[in-house]
Amino acid sequence: EASPRVGGLVRDGFTSLSGKRPAEAGQHGFWNNYHNIYRLFDQLAADENLDFDTKTALTPYAEQGQYSPDGLEAVWPVYQDQALQLPTGLAQAVYTRFLNLSLIDRITAFPLVLAFSEFDGSPDAWKRFDQFSFRDLCVRLGVSRRCYEEAFEPMILTGLFAPGAQCSAAAALGMAYFFVLQSQTAFDVQWCRGNIGQVIFDPWVQQLKATGKVEFLCSTRVNGFDINKSANGGIPRITNVQCTGVNGEETVIESDDVILAVGAKALNNFVRFCPELAEFPEFRRFANLRGTSVLATRLFLDQELDITYSANACWGFDKGIGMTFFDIKALHGSNATTVADAPGSVVEVDYYHPSSLLTLSDEEIVHKAKKDLDTILGAKCKSSEVLDAAVVRLPEGVNWFFPGSYQDMPDIKAESIGNMYFAGDVVHSSHGSWSQEKVFVTGIEAANSVLGRAPDTGILPLAADELHVRFGKEAVKIARNIISGPKKDSGRPSLVDFLF
């Protein structure tokens, strides 16, 4: 781990500008479909040697708001608390409270059902829908401009961290299905009650260390690899990993197998700065991958504000930039160390794809975040003062699923190096999960590959598609078969063929 603490971007260790208060690289939720992560939480809670309880580690489910500069635009309820369990799609349409988006505009989203019915997450489906952007797909299917800009664009900016015009339609369909449409309750989310590095990673690291089989080398950066190109069977193998430690000392780690659990930017860096990897075409294609940026701010105010919803998404403040804000005292608790000695509200304001904002000074960023909050929260917020603030810049810190990126993403196991594997949400996987859940799942898949086990060993699958979803997917397959005859999937006509 190159950082001083385990956890990558979600570790703690960030502080406010005064150096007195803790901060984070954004807030991280745990959605209802994070089955494998929730099982990990159960395992941590069952360990008598750990101080971990899921009920105190995570917030209860709660309603979430969506704001524009004109005010509250929509409310996402706790879907599992609704009186009736409806078919997915219908449930979100009925229970999500859009305050200003007209029914006619919402109806224009219906043709997307065709795309969701054809996109089954298979490699062939990814290749078809990865050729163009999600915005282009919506335009071709007749989604109204207002429906796209007020419903879909905010979802893509906060889910894939880039505008829909710069995100793969395949990625958008996969992400939206996992987080929103897999079931009525898919979008229900809990948040960590405190800094995730301390609340979740610390007990997990403690449990792993207690096994006596795991050693963590923090503040240790990988610089290169020794590769035996004449290994048994003629397939090159990594024999050593070259690292630089805390004080610049060189370390060599003898390696049986190597798993790179990194994102797109790190993969890009590896191939550019490790010539021994760049010799292989499989690795050279990683140079095409890139990340997009995140900017996390936390404002410590002198007054307590009335914030209706603890977690909120926003749109319309900056073109092409996503935004969320969180009431940290409501999420973490008024006695949490993250809000200690804060006389007023503590509000996290995060921006996604904010390249134009990263050039601002810390003071200018704090001023902008406060101004945006003033617009949303009104007079009392305007009269409040910022006593302290945190600014965390993460240039290219998250993966960018741009159109055409699928072909350059890694598989779980490298083809050209016999003992190298990959884990992360940029890795090809048939599981269907996204974000933290996919990172965790692909880590298990990589371990299974190392150990020669079946890929899904020890992995909880997503729930099966609901009956009407299965019917839609089967209907599309039958229609494609009738039109094309007995051809392979890649040779059958697709919705894509009629739209582009």
Side-chain angles (χ1 to χ4, degrees):
E1 170 64 67
S3 302
R5 292 174 58 84
V6 173
L9 295 181
V10 299
R11 71 189 186 278
D12 55 12
F14 299 103
T15 60
S16 64
L17 299 180
S18 69
K20 299 178 180 178
R21 296 180 171 93
E24 288 183 274
Q27 293 300 294
H28 302 274
F30 297 89
W31 273 261
N32 214 36
N33 277 340
Y34 282 17
H35 304 310
N36 291 278
I37 288 180
Y38 275 110
R39 181 178 61 180
L40 170 66
F41 292 163
D42 290 341
Q43 294 168 350
L44 295 177
D47 191 331
E48 296 179 354
N49 297 315
L50 300 179
D51 182 18
F52 183 88
D53 185 343
T54 306
K55 292 181 179 179
T56 57
L58 303 180
T59 66
Y61 294 103
E63 292 187 329
Q64 304 172 77
Q66 184 189 65
Y67 288 85
S68 77
D70 295 327
L72 184 65
E73 296 286 347
V75 177
W76 294 299
V78 179
Y79 292 93
Q80 61 191 272
D81 290 348
Q82 304 310 302
L84 293 176
Q85 183 78 22
L86 299 176
T88 188
L90 178 62
Q92 289 81 356
V94 170
Y95 294 134
T96 306
R97 303 197 295 276
F98 288 100
L99 306 184
N100 299 308
L101 186 62
S102 73
L103 177 60
I104 293 176
D105 281 305
R106 282 177 274 161
I107 289 174
T108 66
F110 184 75
L112 280 170
V113 171
L114 295 172
F116 280 108
S117 295
E118 183 177 332
F119 183 80
D120 58 4
S122 66
D124 280 327
W126 262 94
K127 291 172 185 175
R128 288 196 301 274
F129 284 89
D130 190 56
Q131 303 171 47
F132 47 87
S133 74
F134 180 67
R135 183 183 182 279
D136 286 342
L137 177 65
C138 289
V139 170
R140 297 297 179 97
L141 287 173
V143 177
S144 74
R145 178 186 295 273
R146 188 171 180 188
C147 182
Y148 176 80
E149 292 181 349
E150 297 184 15
F152 291 116
E153 182 76 343
M155 175 185 69
I156 300 302
L157 278 165
T158 55
L160 293 178
F161 310 111
Q166 300 177 42
C167 284
S168 157
L173 292 171
M175 180 275 295
Y177 186 71
F178 176 73
F179 280 115
V180 182
L181 294 172
Q182 200 276 331
S183 70
Q184 175 175 313
T185 63
F187 198 62
D188 289 342
V189 59
Q190 296 177 280
W191 303 90
C192 185
R193 294 181 64 86
N195 279 10
I196 198 168
Q198 179 181 6
V199 174
I200 293 174
F201 272 88
D202 280 357
W204 189 15
V205 168
Q206 181 183 340
Q207 185 184 66
L208 291 172
K209 285 182 176 179
T211 66
K213 301 177 180 179
V214 180
E215 180 182 2
F216 292 93
L217 299 179
C218 294
S219 299
T220 303
R221 182 176 298 276
V222 174
N223 293 329
F225 306 89
D226 294 331
I227 300 177
N228 180 355
K229 296 180 181 178
S230 58
N232 292 337
I235 300 176
R237 294 180 63 85
I238 294 174
T239 56
N240 298 298
V241 179
Q242 303 164 8
C243 304
T244 301
V246 182
N247 299 314
E249 72 275 12
E250 299 295 326
T251 304
V252 176
I253 304 173
E254 186 176 352
S255 307
D256 295 315
D257 297 282
V258 176
I259 300 174
L260 293 182
V262 297
K265 181 183 178 182
L267 284 174
N268 184 307
N269 286 339
F270 272 127
V271 73
R272 287 191 297 117
F273 296 111
C274 297
E276 63 274 18
L277 295 182
E279 292 183 24
F280 302 97
E282 175 188 13
F283 286 83
R284 288 201 295 272
R285 74 173 195 256
F286 298 159
N288 294 322
L289 299 176
R290 56 188 186 270
T292 184
S293 302
V294 173
L295 173 62
T297 73
R298 185 170 292 184
L299 308 184
F300 297 83
L301 305 176
D302 66 342
Q303 299 182 47
E304 289 286 358
L305 305 179
D306 181 16
I307 304 175
T308 306
Y309 305 103
S310 56
N312 306 271
C314 308
W315 58 266
F317 288 83
D318 298 274
K319 185 174 178 58
I321 298 177
M323 174 183 165
T324 54
F325 75 94
F326 303 88
D327 182 348
I328 297 300
K329 278 191 175 179
L331 294 179
H332 294 185
S334 56
N335 296 321
T337 57
T338 50
V339 297
D341 302 322
S345 291
V346 180
V347 185
E348 177 101 11
V349 185
D350 297 336
Y351 298 93
Y352 311 97
H353 197 67
S355 299
S356 60
L357 303 181
L358 296 183
T359 60
L360 300 176
S361 68
D362 289 346
E363 292 72 19
E364 289 171 324
I365 289 173
V366 171
H367 176 77
K368 178 194 166 30
K370 176 61 163 54
K371 183 179 178 182
D372 290 341
L373 274 186
D374 291 344
T375 300
I376 294 169
L377 300 178
K380 190 169 184 180
C381 187
K382 292 179 181 178
S383 67
S384 67
E385 294 185 7
V386 178
L387 301 179
D388 196 4
V391 176
V392 179
R393 293 175 173 84
L394 301 167
E396 297 186 70
V398 294
N399 296 323
W400 190 347
F401 297 90
F402 54 88
S405 58
Y406 179 79
Q407 64 183 349
D408 295 319
M409 296 176 187
D411 296 321
I412 291 291
K413 188 178 189 305
E415 296 178 1
S416 49
I417 298 179
N419 61 339
M420 177 170 276
Y421 306 81
F422 302 93
D425 64 349
V426 76
V427 176
H428 295 153
S429 172
S430 61
H431 184 261
S433 52
W434 276 84
S435 195
Q436 293 103 309
E437 175 76 355
K438 185 180 178 183
V439 172
F440 188 50
V441 165
T442 54
I444 301 174
E445 289 180 334
N448 287 338
S449 186
V450 169
L451 297 172
R453 299 189 296 210
D456 59 352
T457 301
I459 296 174
L460 298 175
L462 289 179
D465 291 334
E466 293 184 8
L467 181 61
H468 66 293
V469 175
R470 293 201 301 271
F471 176 81
K473 290 183 177 181
E474 285 302 318
V476 168
K477 287 181 181 179
I478 291 171
R480 294 180 68 203
N481 287 338
I482 291 173
I483 295 172
S484 67
K487 295 181 180 179
K488 292 183 178 180
D489 188 62
S490 58
R492 295 170 185 162
S494 162
L495 175 67
V496 175
D497 299 323
F498 294 98
L499 295 178
F500 293 92

